[in-house]
Amino acid sequence: MSSFAPVGDEERYALAVRPPSSMRPVAAPARPLSGLATLLGASSPGTRPARGAVTGLTIDSRRVQRGDLYVALPGKTAHGAAFAADALAAGAVAVLTDEAGRESAAATGLPVLVVPDPRALLGQVAAWVYGRPASGITIIGVTGTSGKSTSTFLLEAGLRAAGHRTGLVGGVEIRAGDVRFVPELTTPEASDLQGLFALMREQDVTAAAMEVSSHALALGRVDGVFYDVAIFTNLSQDHLDFHRDLDDYFATKARLFTPEFARIGVVNIDDAHGRELVGLAGIPMITFSASGAPEAEWRAENVRLGSDGSAFRVVGPGGIEADASVALPGPFNVANTLGVLVALVEAGISLQTAVAGVAAFAGVPGRMERVRGTDGYQVIVDYAHKPGAVGSVLTSLRSVLDEGPGGRLTIVLGCGGDRDKGKRPMMGELAARLADVVILTSDNPRTEDPLGILAAMFDGVREVPQAERGHVIMEPDRAAAIDLAISRAEPGDVVVVAGKGHEQGQYIGDQVIPFDDRDVAAEAVRRKQGGPPGGGAVGG
């Protein structure tokens, strides 16, 4: 196994062979518009009757294709119906909207279906338009604060090992067989998601692994999708700019574990919210514990952690056991892997096949990804951008250092602007407690003052007694912060650049500046080693 799950450059840049607008089948069967009107019980006052056929749909007038149903939703600054004429010009055959959008939509002369809340029906409408494509695919969904991306990649590896042709849906990559996309959202809008499943059907995909975000559950993006198995990884503070509080965040996640969405659930009972979910869920729940809790139905025992990955004994009900390994370090990745193995078994795959598929998996872009070319020290890029993830990553890397050369642990860390402000001091405090050197910097400040974000993080640093606190440096320029951390690295040290992972842009104001932590870190390593600029960035 390779240390810290390297991913080669050729794999990183093999994404996005299609734009997101083509996240739909090449050939879609026509569906009668009259059938949709009957399904919805929708009125079409003052417009043409709902006749003709529809072959696709979109909520974005700029993405309308000939034969589409244009779903005009209310927006923050304008109603989608204001763009109905653009949809007509692009080939839309009808409009679905609410009462507020009726008049503007009717002015196009197109048939207009009016319902009280079209967004609430979007998933069901999209599933109907594309012929309920997800029903013929084995789908495993993953929700939780951390571990979703890693779990879906591991799931896909296990599904492939079992002979499935696979799909993948998440924040790092979207894939339908041989077709790939760069995602715009962790979970696509319902209109795009159902089009994607139709594309999977066209690509002969038989099984898919999918991240299910709390936004997707709250906004109905996954309505119309039924999961054969649903996994709950863990829950910690995140997205409280969207949810009322942590209880609301958890309740939204818990919706996945109801008969409307899933057949069976797989839940991590090492997590307090996971234990609570067992009693709340409306479907059968299979429990697992990476800490070996005896009450769990599946347990990880004889866990062995190292810089080159993790190994453990899987122990399940009825005497089922197997040796498992994964090329990902840290206790949290033992938990991710165990949950995946349980889900694969519940999806009908033998434990031995699942174990073999997971063991062959190389790593997820931007998740504990190692930068090449270092001399006796390690540089890791990871997506950790929330308190729970930051704590897990630092704890795992600390254990690697304690078992190995015993060097210093440095973290480069920021918090995003215009997002959950409550987690900023929490992340600052965790970094100061767990790292030897903390370099606070910018991470997608968006419209906020980067120095104000850093000040909020430093409020958390102050909660750590001086004698227990790592050395803290504030450097708002992210590239300079990464360079500083690597320039100070000595043999035996580990530097983790946290927060952005696979992302390839930095959001500053209303602009997106090209920025990839992996490339910036690789360039800093080359400067430190006295090598020429350019060349490969990650892997090894």
Side-chain angles (χ1 to χ4, degrees):
M1 290 185 291
S2 299
S3 177
F4 296 119
V7 178
D9 291 343
E10 69 283 352
E11 189 173 339
R12 273 179 58 200
Y13 295 112
L15 308 180
V17 297
R18 286 194 190 178
S21 59
S22 62
M23 202 180 291
R24 55 167 69 195
V26 174
R31 302 278 281 166
L33 195 56
S34 59
L36 179 60
T38 300
L39 176 73
L40 297 177
S43 62
S44 50
T47 73
R48 291 170 48 197
R51 295 173 182 163
V54 58
T55 56
L57 81 162
T58 181
I59 62 172
D60 188 337
S61 62
R62 297 164 297 184
R63 293 186 177 181
V64 170
Q65 298 184 24
R66 188 160 299 281
D68 273 0
L69 171 71
Y70 173 51
V71 184
L73 304 174
K76 290 182 179 179
T77 58
H79 198 290
F83 306 98
D86 296 333
L88 170 64
V93 296
V95 180
L96 173 65
T97 191
D98 56 14
E99 185 58 38
R102 180 188 64 80
E103 185 175 348
S104 295
T108 64
L110 289 171
V112 178
L113 301 176
V114 178
V115 295
D117 186 357
R119 174 168 281 286
L121 299 173
L122 185 59
Q124 296 297 337
V125 170
W128 181 88
V129 167
Y130 288 114
R132 306 199 180 282
S135 61
I137 301 170
T138 297
I139 304 175
I140 304 178
V142 186
T143 198
T145 303
S146 302
K148 294 190 297 297
S149 294
T150 297
S151 295
T152 53
F153 274 80
L154 288 169
L155 283 166
E156 194 204 21
L159 291 168
R160 279 191 275 108
H164 283 286
R165 182 166 168 81
T166 57
L168 181 71
V169 185
V172 178
E173 181 178 345
I174 292 175
R175 189 162 59 246
D178 297 327
V179 183
R180 300 185 180 201
F181 304 87
V182 168
E184 295 179 322
L185 300 167
T186 299
T187 309
E189 282 286 1
S191 48
D192 292 330
L193 182 60
Q194 293 296 333
L196 176 65
F197 282 129
L199 175 60
M200 288 186 188
R201 180 177 59 190
E202 192 174 71
Q203 287 283 317
D204 298 319
V205 166
T206 57
M210 178 179 171
E211 293 186 51
V212 184
S213 69
S214 62
H215 288 70
L217 288 160
L219 298 174
R221 293 177 192 161
V222 293
D223 290 358
V225 181
F226 187 78
Y227 298 89
D228 294 272
V229 186
I231 303 175
F232 180 88
T233 60
N234 51 64
L235 191 127
S236 62
Q237 181 166 330
D238 199 20
H239 302 307
L240 297 193
D241 54 320
F242 179 80
H243 297 283
R244 277 193 318 275
D245 50 32
L246 198 62
D247 288 341
D248 179 57
Y249 179 39
F250 172 59
T252 303
K253 295 277 191 187
R255 284 192 59 212
L256 183 60
F257 300 88
T258 61
E260 176 188 359
F261 286 108
R263 176 182 63 86
I264 197 165
V266 172
V267 57
N268 175 15
I269 62 167
D270 289 334
D271 181 86
H273 288 92
R275 292 194 298 275
E276 184 180 353
L277 181 61
V278 173
L280 294 175
I283 58 175
M285 299 294 283
I286 308 299
T287 60
F288 71 91
S289 166
S291 69
E295 66 271 25
E297 294 165 89
W298 290 81
R299 302 180 302 281
E301 298 184 354
N302 191 25
V303 176
R304 300 173 300 284
L305 304 173
S307 63
D308 60 346
S310 309
F312 57 97
R313 183 75 174 167
V314 183
V315 179
I320 185 171
E321 294 188 20
D323 287 323
S325 62
V326 64
L328 298 168
F332 61 98
N333 279 317
V334 173
N336 290 334
T337 305
L338 180 59
V340 163
L341 293 174
V342 176
L344 290 169
V345 170
E346 291 298 330
I349 295 170
S350 74
L351 179 58
Q352 291 297 337
T353 299
V355 163
V358 165
F361 173 71
V364 184
R367 274 38 174 202
M368 299 294 274
E369 189 171 354
R370 181 170 56 89
V371 176
R372 284 198 295 253
T374 57
D375 184 12
Y377 60 94
Q378 296 272 13
V379 178
I380 312 301
V381 175
D382 192 79
Y383 190 53
H385 64 285
K386 59 202 80 171
V390 169
S392 294
V393 166
L394 288 176
T395 300
S396 296
L397 294 176
R398 173 63 68 194
S399 68
V400 169
L401 281 171
D402 290 345
E403 294 174 7
R408 295 177 305 171
L409 176 57
T410 297
I411 184 169
V412 178
L413 182 68
C415 287
D418 302 331
R419 296 295 186 268
D420 182 359
K421 296 181 180 181
K423 67 182 183 181
R424 296 171 185 174
M426 297 170 67
M427 290 169 63
E429 179 179 355
L430 279 166
R433 286 189 186 278
L434 298 174
D436 299 302
V437 179
V438 180
I439 303 180
L440 300 179
T441 190
S442 295
D443 178 352
N444 296 333
R446 298 183 175 87
T447 63
E448 286 195 63
D449 178 4
L451 295 180
I453 298 173
L454 294 181
M457 296 183 73
F458 197 74
D459 285 341
V461 171
R462 291 194 182 96
E463 295 298 315
V464 184
Q466 186 75 41
E468 302 172 16
R469 182 191 307 172
H471 179 59
V472 179
I473 302 169
M474 299 180 76
E475 172 49 76
D477 185 303
R478 190 172 182 87
I482 293 171
D483 186 77
L484 177 62
I486 292 171
S487 70
R488 294 166 56 102
E490 298 177 356
D493 288 357
V494 173
V495 175
V496 57
V497 181
K500 295 179 64 61
H502 64 285
E503 294 179 357
Q504 297 180 26
Q506 176 87 315
Y507 290 78
I508 300 175
D510 58 358
Q511 295 183 307
V512 182
I513 309 300
F515 195 101
D516 190 317
D517 279 354
R518 298 166 295 181
D519 292 338
V520 174
E523 190 62 40
V525 167
R526 282 189 288 271
R527 280 193 297 273
K528 181 179 176 68
Q529 305 302 112
V538 293

